[in-house]
Amino acid sequence: MSTKPRSEMSLGEKMQSVPKPILYLVLVLLTSLPLFKELNVPNKPNEASEDFYATVMAVPEGSTILIQSDWTGSTRGESGGEFESLMRILMRRKIKFAVYAAGDPQAPQVVKDSISRVNDERKLSGQPGYKQWDDWISLGNLPNAEAANQAIANNVQTAFPGRKAIPSTGGSPQDVFDSPVLKGHTKLSDFPLLVVVTASNTATIAIERYAGKVKMAQMVTGVMGPETLNYYPKQVVGLVVGLKGVYDIETLMEGGINTADPHTIKDDNGKFQGKSVEGFPGELNKGKATRYYPTLHFAFALLIIAVLIGNIGMFLAKKEAGK
Amino acid sequence: MNFFLDIPPATFWNNPSGSNALMIRLALALLIGIAAIFVLLKAPTNYRRPIVGVVTFLSGAFYVMLYLWPVAISRNKGIDAPRNPVEGVAFWLDDAVPVVANFTSIVTAFLLGLGVYSLLRVHGRKVMRKETDWVFSVVLLSSMVLMVFAGYGDWYSRLDPIKAPALELRENWGPINYLRDVLFEGMLQQMDAAMFSLIAFYILSAAYRAFRVRTIEATILLAAAFIVMFSFMGSVEAAWGHMVNPSGNIDNFSNNFTLTEVAKWIRGSIQKPAIRGIDFGVGIGALAMGLRLWLSLDRTGGKS
Amino acid sequence: MKYETIRLIFGALATVGLYSVLYRENKMYRFFEHVFLGLASGYTLVAVWTETLKQSWWDPMVGTQTENGVPGQPGFWAYMFLLPIGLMGYFVFSKKNNWLSRIPIGIILGLWSGQQLQVWWNRYGPQLDDSLRPIIPTSFNPMFVPSTKGLPKIEVDAIKAHVYVSTAVSNIIFVITLLSVLSYFLFSFELKAKFMQKTTLLGRWLLMIGFGAIFGSTVMMRFTLLIDRMYFIWVETVWQGILGQK
């Protein structure tokens, strides 16, 4: 990088040395101003997100699923949106869930706060909130993911020995496997689905240990996306990756999936070929992803333009030096 | 020995809660454990590596046996008895899995305190000796104490079997619950998010200054990165798609050249195998490292 | 001022304090950095007990009394042995006896390495299976996968059963990419054969596509985290919290 004063720099050199504070200020402006305007961006959900949505929507109402949630505030921009979308779908379909963490000690409290936010949202629209013990249960944190996942794969009940919670009506703490959420669930195969929401390699640790024992879907951050995509669709039946993935889910919650072709002959289940899954029209489906996604375009555009300016500057500087 | 029947029968391994027998056995177990530490401290130097090696080997041998030993399928736990020694070992291994997992979680939980202990040592020393910037160490220690106080206070308030369900609603919170919420959700989570988001600025600055197409590899990397970023931008996808396939009919040949399809093809045919190749390489390394660790074949194991 | 607004202001001040490092290292940043570390380590001390040790170790060890019809559990005294094992880890701080800390670490690493035999296949087996793709087409007319719209199921199944030229080409590219990337990693010694040299060079180039994808995804994630912070400060705290707008 040139150390000459700016007035003596060639155009190419100037283009390569925009001061950092200017870059940062532009980034802050481009990631702040669009948040105040509701911008509609067209979206075509990708296959992995569609499969995730279809899988969760196929879980029978009233059944219990298992959730492994290992994210904390550090990735709340993506993981928070993923988890809250999942909560909205589960609560609307009256699906119970048991949630545990396999790594971060902060994760269980983050989950409770997140569920509390979605509950507040539901109460504002006149719907009942989810109660601990009756509708969902926290199974705490198991610090060693490898051993924990292995134990859960062996037998869910014995993996959480002596775990107790206070019933929603009060009273002494009771075994969580006596709760309406977990009664009769002892093995992984008793759960129709296991969802892993994570920002770390606990996604792959879960795949290694739960292989073939339970249907698994995952919600991961952008960084884990390319690696986790390798496991889709054989080992992970549905995958939500990053902000784009959350926006896909919010889009699908609004409009559902309808690729079913009525000109085809119905299959053995009485359905036309293609997929047809309901959405939740008229309900609050747009979460933070709908607010953040348009702003992401501006941030990307800034990065692309910055890289292009830097490279054009390099070529110009080379040309000028050659003269 | 089965730790996990609903109400375990009285055995050598358990005693009624609060009983003198239990207290005595707990005290004895603690003394034996501490005595074992003192014995190990006196161990000669040339015994140390073998001790660590044996512990590592026995730990790994459990899972190796679990995978290699015949599995007892269709077993009714608590009802079926093993018909021969092979089945007996299979039953024991099956029962031991959650016990081993539980023990591992507990030992890992104890080790999580290492980081906290290290912070206490370093910053405690700074404050005691009034070293440079000791005031910040006071800030750290005070925040830690405040969080511990608020965290335990909030947890303790939720142990009350009558008040606990009411505390699910914020209207019923007391001062300690509000304090925990401000410290955890109001500050810790927001600061955690802020620390991680700082990298966005550095990525932009680094990409601007260092991302130069000087070589073929850099050009390929840049082109792939741009295509992926464009594929995350719905408006670009829609505009490109409209340009290439104005009718939007997915059966048109030109639909293959929309950004969605191009990115999907690159993702499926080049990105996936490239990352899979890296993954296979890492996997082979992990398998080799696992074997080396299990058999203590690493160079420095056990030496001080 | 409402409680929620006060909480938002605390968070926003802390966020801005940490962001001040972008200008330069300063006392405000150091203050918030130390607050962050203190809160994080304090919460670890809380969560390790409340989420893990109390229910997994303490309660099984000391047992519980019968209360309101819920039967008590006896205490298993052998759990006490885990305390000295865990405490051995703290000898890492001792210059003379830090080898003792390798015992609990050896237990954890030993268990991990024992698991690798089985989990390796669970993780990579299906991927190996998926990587073995047909590279010889079974149909040359048409060359591209035809549309299945409006066709009965039996015809759709017949179409899907074929490997078309376009699919075979994609599969060849997949297999070549995988093998060349693997050869780049595995053959880290000098290769004399020109064909192998070209293969590893191709592998390096194709790897760059994978890295480009990783870069793009990482950028998306980091920018999303930043957008979330900007939303928190400007919209949640200032616009909705302090100014009371919707």
Side-chain angles (χ1 to χ4, degrees), chain A residues 279-292:
Chain A
F280 301 98
E283 298 206 48
L284 174 66
N285 298 313
K286 294 183 181 184
K288 286 198 175 151
T290 307
R291 298 297 292 266
Y292 296 174

Side-chain angles (χ1 to χ4, degrees), chain B residues 6 12 15 17 48 60 110 113 117 133 152 170 181 186 190-191 197 217 251 265 276 279 283 290 303, chain C residues 3-4 7 11 19 30 32 45 62 73 75 77 90 93 102 110 113 120 123-124 130-131 147 170 204 229:
Chain B
D6 278 331
F12 171 74
N15 291 102
S17 173
R48 292 174 181 181
F110 280 126
Y117 176 71
D133 291 335
Y152 277 114
R170 192 179 289 166
D181 189 51
Q190 309 308 330
M191 295 166 93
S197 65
E217 285 92 342
D251 290 324
W265 184 85
R276 191 170 282 180
D279 222 11
K303 285 187 187 159
Chain C
Y3 161 72
E4 284 83 8
R7 192 182 75 175
Y19 275 3
R30 297 211 63 205
F32 282 107
L45 282 177
V62 304
Q73 298 287 328
W77 52 268
Y90 291 80
F93 296 108
R102 292 196 180 100
S113 54
W120 195 93
R123 181 170 170 175
Y124 295 108
D130 181 61
S131 302
S147 166
S170 296
R204 201 164 75 215
R229 291 298 85 207

Side-chain angles (χ1 to χ4, degrees), chain A residues 155-222:
Chain A
N155 185 302
V156 177
Q157 191 165 6
T158 55
F160 299 97
R163 184 91 202 164
K164 289 187 159 75
I166 295 176
S168 56
T169 48
S172 304
Q174 293 183 39
D175 195 324
V176 294
F177 287 89
D178 289 335
S179 68
V181 176
L182 286 173
K183 207 166 182 68
H185 292 79
T186 51
K187 303 181 298 297
L188 261 186
S189 52
D190 295 333
F191 296 90
L193 181 66
L194 184 144
V195 179
V196 179
V197 186
T198 182
S200 64
N201 73 333
T202 51
T204 41
I205 294 173
I207 291 169
E208 286 169 350
R209 282 143 184 91
Y210 294 149
K213 294 192 171 180
V214 67
K215 196 188 274 190
M216 187 167 23
Q218 294 195 348
M219 301 179 109
V220 299
T221 55

Side-chain angles (χ1 to χ4, degrees), chain A residues 24 27-28, chain B residues 197-206, chain C residues 19 22 226:
Chain A
Y24 292 167
L27 180 61
V28 167
Chain B
S197 65
L198 279 172
I199 296 171
F201 293 95
Y202 301 137
I203 279 186
L204 175 67
S205 171
Chain C
Y19 275 3
L22 292 167
L226 175 62

Side-chain angles (χ1 to χ4, degrees), chain A residues 44-91:
Chain A
K44 188 180 183 313
N46 67 40
E47 224 176 355
S49 304
E50 279 190 353
D51 283 345
F52 180 92
Y53 182 73
T55 303
V56 177
M57 292 296 283
V59 173
E61 270 197 28
S63 49
T64 300
I65 69 167
L66 207 52
I67 300 176
Q68 178 176 319
S69 177
D70 298 322
W71 64 279
T72 62
S74 53
T75 57
R76 67 191 285 142
E78 290 191 325
S79 304
E82 287 170 348
F83 191 78
E84 285 175 14
S85 301
L86 178 65
M87 288 298 106
R88 286 188 192 101
I89 297 173
L90 295 178
M91 290 185 187

